[in-house]
Amino acid sequence: MSGSDFEQALVAAAFQRAAEVGWTRLTIVDAARAAGLSLAEARVRFPSKLALLRRFGAMLDEAALLAAPAEGPPRDRLFDLLMSRFDAMKPHRSGLRALLRHLPGDPALVVALSCATRRSMRWMLQAAGISTVGLRGELRVRGLIAVWLWALRAFERDATDDLAPTMAALDAALQRVQAAAGWLAGERKASTIEPGSDESMTDDADA
């Protein structure tokens, strides 16, 4: 078994176990045993559940980047990239729901995952041909984090095979930030967004 296959098998087993026993009770040891994998190798590759989540996030990025469209409007390219991430998450929905239920009670994990999400969204923007340099670039990153979190709420409730509700939520969120006076072109300053407006969702990026 290759290293990549090992990691994918352990990640799948971990989310399956999380669905069964909850994220708090999940251990890497239990996941490795459930998948019939070497405990010694599991310890090296995933010394903690946070390490597993970071690797899972990288797997989602890899899935998106492998399918990254080379042409088209930036908004369409972002939609395809983010939906590729959701498609890669779909086999693990039950376990991810267990993780999302756990997060409100684990602020340290929320902070760690927020940092990982920021890195991922920066990659998605760059892959779509959108600059992330400077203040405008940072605003774009924050805006896309808000888009991702908005669509993630829909994904958490989505039980369909084609992820149609998730697609609709993602499309609507991208429309909102695109309508924010040229957000994709970096033309709008954060100070011009009124609190409570639809566009203000871009200010919730670090929540």
PDB file of all heavy atoms in Angstrom, residues 52-76:
ATOM      1  N   LEU A  52      -4.496  14.773  11.208  1.00  0.00           N
ATOM      2  CA  LEU A  52      -5.369  14.114  10.240  1.00  0.00           C
ATOM      3  C   LEU A  52      -6.238  15.134   9.508  1.00  0.00           C
ATOM      4  O   LEU A  52      -6.410  15.057   8.281  1.00  0.00           O
ATOM      5  CB  LEU A  52      -6.235  13.076  10.955  1.00  0.00           C
ATOM      6  CG  LEU A  52      -7.189  12.268  10.067  1.00  0.00           C
ATOM      7  CD1 LEU A  52      -7.246  10.818  10.538  1.00  0.00           C
ATOM      8  CD2 LEU A  52      -8.603  12.857  10.086  1.00  0.00           C
ATOM      9  N   LEU A  53      -6.787  16.092  10.237  1.00  0.00           N
ATOM     10  CA  LEU A  53      -7.634  17.100   9.608  1.00  0.00           C
ATOM     11  C   LEU A  53      -6.842  17.986   8.652  1.00  0.00           C
ATOM     12  O   LEU A  53      -7.345  18.371   7.591  1.00  0.00           O
ATOM     13  CB  LEU A  53      -8.324  17.949  10.674  1.00  0.00           C
ATOM     14  CG  LEU A  53      -9.418  17.242  11.475  1.00  0.00           C
ATOM     15  CD1 LEU A  53      -9.960  18.163  12.555  1.00  0.00           C
ATOM     16  CD2 LEU A  53     -10.552  16.774  10.561  1.00  0.00           C
ATOM     17  N   ARG A  54      -5.619  18.316   9.024  1.00  0.00           N
ATOM     18  CA  ARG A  54      -4.791  19.115   8.125  1.00  0.00           C
ATOM     19  C   ARG A  54      -4.490  18.352   6.845  1.00  0.00           C
ATOM     20  O   ARG A  54      -4.502  18.916   5.748  1.00  0.00           O
ATOM     21  CB  ARG A  54      -3.500  19.523   8.831  1.00  0.00           C
ATOM     22  CG  ARG A  54      -3.709  20.628   9.868  1.00  0.00           C
ATOM     23  CD  ARG A  54      -2.446  20.896  10.646  1.00  0.00           C
ATOM     24  NE  ARG A  54      -2.585  22.088  11.497  1.00  0.00           N
ATOM     25  CZ  ARG A  54      -1.839  22.337  12.554  1.00  0.00           C
ATOM     26  NH1 ARG A  54      -0.865  21.492  12.892  1.00  0.00           N
ATOM     27  NH2 ARG A  54      -2.030  23.437  13.262  1.00  0.00           N
ATOM     28  N   ARG A  55      -4.197  17.068   6.983  1.00  0.00           N
ATOM     29  CA  ARG A  55      -3.934  16.266   5.785  1.00  0.00           C
ATOM     30  C   ARG A  55      -5.200  16.126   4.951  1.00  0.00           C
ATOM     31  O   ARG A  55      -5.147  16.161   3.719  1.00  0.00           O
ATOM     32  CB  ARG A  55      -3.417  14.872   6.183  1.00  0.00           C
ATOM     33  CG  ARG A  55      -3.085  13.990   4.969  1.00  0.00           C
ATOM     34  CD  ARG A  55      -1.916  14.553   4.201  1.00  0.00           C
ATOM     35  NE  ARG A  55      -1.730  13.874   2.929  1.00  0.00           N
ATOM     36  CZ  ARG A  55      -1.930  14.431   1.738  1.00  0.00           C
ATOM     37  NH1 ARG A  55      -2.327  15.701   1.652  1.00  0.00           N
ATOM     38  NH2 ARG A  55      -1.734  13.762   0.639  1.00  0.00           N
ATOM     39  N   PHE A  56      -6.339  15.993   5.605  1.00  0.00           N
ATOM     40  CA  PHE A  56      -7.595  15.907   4.876  1.00  0.00           C
ATOM     41  C   PHE A  56      -7.843  17.183   4.085  1.00  0.00           C
ATOM     42  O   PHE A  56      -8.260  17.141   2.920  1.00  0.00           O
ATOM     43  CB  PHE A  56      -8.748  15.653   5.852  1.00  0.00           C
ATOM     44  CG  PHE A  56     -10.099  15.572   5.193  1.00  0.00           C
ATOM     45  CD1 PHE A  56     -10.370  14.583   4.259  1.00  0.00           C
ATOM     46  CD2 PHE A  56     -11.106  16.471   5.515  1.00  0.00           C
ATOM     47  CE1 PHE A  56     -11.619  14.499   3.645  1.00  0.00           C
ATOM     48  CE2 PHE A  56     -12.340  16.392   4.918  1.00  0.00           C
ATOM     49  CZ  PHE A  56     -12.596  15.406   3.982  1.00  0.00           C
ATOM     50  N   GLY A  57      -7.589  18.331   4.692  1.00  0.00           N
ATOM     51  CA  GLY A  57      -7.744  19.589   3.981  1.00  0.00           C
ATOM     52  C   GLY A  57      -6.837  19.657   2.761  1.00  0.00           C
ATOM     53  O   GLY A  57      -7.243  20.146   1.701  1.00  0.00           O
ATOM     54  N   ALA A  58      -5.603  19.167   2.910  1.00  0.00           N
ATOM     55  CA  ALA A  58      -4.691  19.146   1.771  1.00  0.00           C
ATOM     56  C   ALA A  58      -5.210  18.218   0.675  1.00  0.00           C
ATOM     57  O   ALA A  58      -5.072  18.502  -0.518  1.00  0.00           O
ATOM     58  CB  ALA A  58      -3.298  18.714   2.229  1.00  0.00           C
ATOM     59  N   MET A  59      -5.826  17.114   1.073  1.00  0.00           N
ATOM     60  CA  MET A  59      -6.417  16.202   0.089  1.00  0.00           C
ATOM     61  C   MET A  59      -7.535  16.886  -0.692  1.00  0.00           C
ATOM     62  O   MET A  59      -7.668  16.706  -1.909  1.00  0.00           O
ATOM     63  CB  MET A  59      -6.971  14.959   0.791  1.00  0.00           C
ATOM     64  CG  MET A  59      -5.930  14.015   1.352  1.00  0.00           C
ATOM     65  SD  MET A  59      -6.732  12.644   2.240  1.00  0.00           S
ATOM     66  CE  MET A  59      -5.301  11.681   2.751  1.00  0.00           C
ATOM     67  N   LEU A  60      -8.340  17.670   0.013  1.00  0.00           N
ATOM     68  CA  LEU A  60      -9.415  18.396  -0.661  1.00  0.00           C
ATOM     69  C   LEU A  60      -8.836  19.399  -1.655  1.00  0.00           C
ATOM     70  O   LEU A  60      -9.347  19.550  -2.769  1.00  0.00           O
ATOM     71  CB  LEU A  60     -10.285  19.115   0.365  1.00  0.00           C
ATOM     72  CG  LEU A  60     -11.011  18.261   1.398  1.00  0.00           C
ATOM     73  CD1 LEU A  60     -11.857  19.139   2.301  1.00  0.00           C
ATOM     74  CD2 LEU A  60     -11.881  17.195   0.729  1.00  0.00           C
ATOM     75  N   ASP A  61      -7.778  20.093  -1.251  1.00  0.00           N
ATOM     76  CA  ASP A  61      -7.132  21.039  -2.155  1.00  0.00           C
ATOM     77  C   ASP A  61      -6.577  20.327  -3.382  1.00  0.00           C
ATOM     78  O   ASP A  61      -6.704  20.806  -4.510  1.00  0.00           O
ATOM     79  CB  ASP A  61      -6.002  21.772  -1.440  1.00  0.00           C
ATOM     80  CG  ASP A  61      -6.505  22.739  -0.373  1.00  0.00           C
ATOM     81  OD1 ASP A  61      -7.712  23.037  -0.363  1.00  0.00           O
ATOM     82  OD2 ASP A  61      -5.685  23.185   0.443  1.00  0.00           O
ATOM     83  N   GLU A  62      -5.958  19.177  -3.158  1.00  0.00           N
ATOM     84  CA  GLU A  62      -5.398  18.419  -4.272  1.00  0.00           C
ATOM     85  C   GLU A  62      -6.485  18.006  -5.249  1.00  0.00           C
ATOM     86  O   GLU A  62      -6.308  18.100  -6.475  1.00  0.00           O
ATOM     87  CB  GLU A  62      -4.665  17.189  -3.739  1.00  0.00           C
ATOM     88  CG  GLU A  62      -3.380  17.521  -2.992  1.00  0.00           C
ATOM     89  CD  GLU A  62      -2.860  16.358  -2.163  1.00  0.00           C
ATOM     90  OE1 GLU A  62      -3.374  15.221  -2.330  1.00  0.00           O
ATOM     91  OE2 GLU A  62      -1.947  16.578  -1.350  1.00  0.00           O
ATOM     92  N   ALA A  63      -7.622  17.544  -4.723  1.00  0.00           N
ATOM     93  CA  ALA A  63      -8.730  17.138  -5.583  1.00  0.00           C
ATOM     94  C   ALA A  63      -9.228  18.316  -6.411  1.00  0.00           C
ATOM     95  O   ALA A  63      -9.525  18.172  -7.609  1.00  0.00           O
ATOM     96  CB  ALA A  63      -9.868  16.565  -4.737  1.00  0.00           C
ATOM     97  N   ALA A  64      -9.308  19.483  -5.779  1.00  0.00           N
ATOM     98  CA  ALA A  64      -9.780  20.670  -6.494  1.00  0.00           C
ATOM     99  C   ALA A  64      -8.779  21.113  -7.549  1.00  0.00           C
ATOM    100  O   ALA A  64      -9.139  21.439  -8.683  1.00  0.00           O
ATOM    101  CB  ALA A  64     -10.045  21.800  -5.504  1.00  0.00           C
ATOM    102  N   LEU A  65      -7.505  21.127  -7.190  1.00  0.00           N
ATOM    103  CA  LEU A  65      -6.482  21.632  -8.099  1.00  0.00           C
ATOM    104  C   LEU A  65      -6.261  20.696  -9.279  1.00  0.00           C
ATOM    105  O   LEU A  65      -5.928  21.147 -10.383  1.00  0.00           O
ATOM    106  CB  LEU A  65      -5.177  21.866  -7.336  1.00  0.00           C
ATOM    107  CG  LEU A  65      -5.256  22.964  -6.268  1.00  0.00           C
ATOM    108  CD1 LEU A  65      -4.010  22.966  -5.396  1.00  0.00           C
ATOM    109  CD2 LEU A  65      -5.478  24.328  -6.904  1.00  0.00           C
ATOM    110  N   LEU A  66      -6.430  19.400  -9.068  1.00  0.00           N
ATOM    111  CA  LEU A  66      -6.303  18.460 -10.177  1.00  0.00           C
ATOM    112  C   LEU A  66      -7.377  18.699 -11.231  1.00  0.00           C
ATOM    113  O   LEU A  66      -7.145  18.460 -12.420  1.00  0.00           O
ATOM    114  CB  LEU A  66      -6.390  17.023  -9.661  1.00  0.00           C
ATOM    115  CG  LEU A  66      -5.142  16.470  -8.981  1.00  0.00           C
ATOM    116  CD1 LEU A  66      -5.442  15.126  -8.329  1.00  0.00           C
ATOM    117  CD2 LEU A  66      -4.006  16.321  -9.994  1.00  0.00           C
ATOM    118  N   ALA A  67      -8.536  19.163 -10.783  1.00  0.00           N
ATOM    119  CA  ALA A  67      -9.643  19.414 -11.710  1.00  0.00           C
ATOM    120  C   ALA A  67      -9.795  20.893 -12.029  1.00  0.00           C
ATOM    121  O   ALA A  67     -10.807  21.296 -12.605  1.00  0.00           O
ATOM    122  CB  ALA A  67     -10.946  18.883 -11.094  1.00  0.00           C
ATOM    123  N   ALA A  68      -8.800  21.695 -11.678  1.00  0.00           N
ATOM    124  CA  ALA A  68      -8.909  23.149 -11.840  1.00  0.00           C
ATOM    125  C   ALA A  68      -9.083  23.528 -13.310  1.00  0.00           C
ATOM    126  O   ALA A  68      -8.287  23.122 -14.155  1.00  0.00           O
ATOM    127  CB  ALA A  68      -7.678  23.836 -11.276  1.00  0.00           C
ATOM    128  N   PRO A  69     -10.135  24.292 -13.634  1.00  0.00           N
ATOM    129  CA  PRO A  69     -10.322  24.748 -15.008  1.00  0.00           C
ATOM    130  C   PRO A  69      -9.248  25.750 -15.394  1.00  0.00           C
ATOM    131  O   PRO A  69      -8.858  26.599 -14.591  1.00  0.00           O
ATOM    132  CB  PRO A  69     -11.709  25.398 -14.982  1.00  0.00           C
ATOM    133  CG  PRO A  69     -11.913  25.809 -13.557  1.00  0.00           C
ATOM    134  CD  PRO A  69     -11.190  24.783 -12.728  1.00  0.00           C
ATOM    135  N   ALA A  70      -8.765  25.640 -16.623  1.00  0.00           N
ATOM    136  CA  ALA A  70      -7.695  26.527 -17.082  1.00  0.00           C
ATOM    137  C   ALA A  70      -8.232  27.818 -17.676  1.00  0.00           C
ATOM    138  O   ALA A  70      -7.494  28.797 -17.805  1.00  0.00           O
ATOM    139  CB  ALA A  70      -6.827  25.814 -18.113  1.00  0.00           C
ATOM    140  N   GLU A  71      -9.525  27.840 -18.019  1.00  0.00           N
ATOM    141  CA  GLU A  71     -10.106  29.018 -18.656  1.00  0.00           C
ATOM    142  C   GLU A  71     -11.474  29.308 -18.058  1.00  0.00           C
ATOM    143  O   GLU A  71     -12.033  28.506 -17.325  1.00  0.00           O
ATOM    144  CB  GLU A  71     -10.242  28.787 -20.169  1.00  0.00           C
ATOM    145  CG  GLU A  71      -8.915  28.556 -20.882  1.00  0.00           C
ATOM    146  CD  GLU A  71      -9.107  28.296 -22.364  1.00  0.00           C
ATOM    147  OE1 GLU A  71     -10.267  28.096 -22.783  1.00  0.00           O
ATOM    148  OE2 GLU A  71      -8.110  28.301 -23.099  1.00  0.00           O
ATOM    149  N   GLY A  72     -12.005  30.479 -18.404  1.00  0.00           N
ATOM    150  CA  GLY A  72     -13.335  30.876 -17.965  1.00  0.00           C
ATOM    151  C   GLY A  72     -13.289  32.037 -17.014  1.00  0.00           C
ATOM    152  O   GLY A  72     -12.226  32.399 -16.483  1.00  0.00           O
ATOM    153  N   PRO A  73     -14.449  32.653 -16.750  1.00  0.00           N
ATOM    154  CA  PRO A  73     -14.521  33.770 -15.807  1.00  0.00           C
ATOM    155  C   PRO A  73     -14.067  33.336 -14.413  1.00  0.00           C
ATOM    156  O   PRO A  73     -14.297  32.180 -14.019  1.00  0.00           O
ATOM    157  CB  PRO A  73     -16.007  34.140 -15.819  1.00  0.00           C
ATOM    158  CG  PRO A  73     -16.543  33.574 -17.087  1.00  0.00           C
ATOM    159  CD  PRO A  73     -15.755  32.340 -17.358  1.00  0.00           C
ATOM    160  N   PRO A  74     -13.436  34.215 -13.651  1.00  0.00           N
ATOM    161  CA  PRO A  74     -12.960  33.854 -12.307  1.00  0.00           C
ATOM    162  C   PRO A  74     -14.051  33.267 -11.422  1.00  0.00           C
ATOM    163  O   PRO A  74     -13.806  32.298 -10.697  1.00  0.00           O
ATOM    164  CB  PRO A  74     -12.449  35.186 -11.753  1.00  0.00           C
ATOM    165  CG  PRO A  74     -12.044  35.958 -12.956  1.00  0.00           C
ATOM    166  CD  PRO A  74     -13.036  35.591 -14.014  1.00  0.00           C
ATOM    167  N   ARG A  75     -15.256  33.844 -11.482  1.00  0.00           N
ATOM    168  CA  ARG A  75     -16.335  33.329 -10.631  1.00  0.00           C
ATOM    169  C   ARG A  75     -16.659  31.876 -10.960  1.00  0.00           C
ATOM    170  O   ARG A  75     -16.852  31.046 -10.074  1.00  0.00           O
ATOM    171  CB  ARG A  75     -17.574  34.197 -10.809  1.00  0.00           C
ATOM    172  CG  ARG A  75     -18.761  33.747  -9.968  1.00  0.00           C
ATOM    173  CD  ARG A  75     -20.062  34.341 -10.486  1.00  0.00           C
ATOM    174  NE  ARG A  75     -21.193  33.778  -9.796  1.00  0.00           N
ATOM    175  CZ  ARG A  75     -21.677  32.555 -10.023  1.00  0.00           C
ATOM    176  NH1 ARG A  75     -21.112  31.766 -10.912  1.00  0.00           N
ATOM    177  NH2 ARG A  75     -22.729  32.113  -9.343  1.00  0.00           N
ATOM    178  N   ASP A  76     -16.727  31.547 -12.254  1.00  0.00           N
ATOM    179  CA  ASP A  76     -17.034  30.177 -12.671  1.00  0.00           C
ATOM    180  C   ASP A  76     -15.919  29.223 -12.259  1.00  0.00           C
ATOM    181  O   ASP A  76     -16.178  28.081 -11.840  1.00  0.00           O
ATOM    182  CB  ASP A  76     -17.239  30.111 -14.180  1.00  0.00           C
ATOM    183  CG  ASP A  76     -18.475  30.858 -14.640  1.00  0.00           C
ATOM    184  OD1 ASP A  76     -19.311  31.228 -13.778  1.00  0.00           O
ATOM    185  OD2 ASP A  76     -18.617  31.078 -15.859  1.00  0.00           O
TER     186      ASP A  76
END
